[in-house]
Amino acid sequence: MLEHLDDLRQTLSFFRSRLQPQGRLLVTVPTEGALYRFGRRMAGFHGHYHVANAAAIHGDILNAGFKTEYLKKTPGPGLLAIYWIVKYSLSC
């Protein structure tokens, strides 16, 4: 749901304040890439309804004081990626 938020910084600040030092933040976000948009068109959806894509959200999460522990683009890399699955921990 992060891709739908107008003020992602406020939500990330909330997550950061509630996460224990050993805790993890796990997110899945859409790429909004060509394959993703094609799939949405094939399913009958038109237009944009996401505020941000995976790359922008990832950057915002890093800027909010998290670090990447794991990142997988699925179902494949590059143009095949529809979603990013990412595990973050707090930066020191």
Side-chain angles (χ1 to χ4, degrees), residues 3-62:
E3 65 273 12
H4 297 280
L5 299 178
D6 288 323
D7 189 0
L8 183 55
R9 285 178 288 181
Q10 180 179 0
T11 300
L12 294 172
S13 177
F14 173 81
F15 288 162
R16 187 168 169 72
S17 71
R18 299 299 192 277
L19 197 63
Q20 296 293 320
Q22 70 282 6
R24 300 295 180 266
L25 174 66
L26 179 64
V27 300
T28 61
V29 288
T31 61
E32 286 291 331
L35 185 59
Y36 181 87
R37 289 190 306 272
F38 175 74
R40 285 189 49 229
R41 278 195 301 277
M42 295 302 292
F45 295 102
H46 301 284
H48 292 286
Y49 64 95
H50 292 156
V51 176
N53 64 21
I57 293 168
H58 180 66
D60 287 344
I61 292 172
L62 295 176

